[in-house]
Amino acid sequence: MTVADHRGRLSALATRLRVLSAGLALWCLGLLGFGLYLQHVVGHEPCPMCIVQRYALIGVALLAALAAALPGRAVRVGLIAGAALVAGFGAFVAARQSWLQWFPPDIQTCGRDFYGMIEAFPLKRAIPMIFRGSGDCTAIDWTWLGLTIANWSFLNFVAMAAVCLALLVAAVRRRS
């Protein structure tokens, strides 16, 4: 293989990595759009855990879009690694919400919304309250194929993390 052939293969791989990163960002935007549709058209109000998952989607979308747009392999690898971590965090929150839906607490409370918690309590007290969930987080308002929004969110976050890890492996292999 000549040097020109090697450079051409590396350039093609870099282009594929950028396209996949952009696709990941669009995937997140599609999920965010569907969440907004469920909220504003169907009328399902998001619970605090749903809002945290939205922020995780925004984080993955921004990191993936930056990875697609910015030059430099090291920058791209760092951004995709960050997106994998944020997707893992989103999967954790979605798994916790799924658990709350499967095994609701004995005492149902309405609780405050996410913004109300942040405004009324110090952050170190509000964050555990958000993840503890409330009656709203245990509500199952919508299902498709027998899975709730939280279940679908978990599956999507796991798939996003897997895509990020595959991109990282491809970038590392490209280096060697």
Side-chain angles (χ1 to χ4, degrees), residues 138-150:
T138 62
I140 298 174
D141 297 329
W142 181 90
T143 61
W144 187 58
L145 299 176
L147 299 175
T148 67
I149 296 171

Side-chain angles (χ1 to χ4, degrees), residues 105-122:
D106 293 335
I107 300 171
Q108 295 284 334
T109 60
C110 290
R112 292 176 173 254
D113 68 349
F114 178 75
Y115 300 108
M117 287 183 209
I118 296 297
E119 290 174 358
F121 300 103

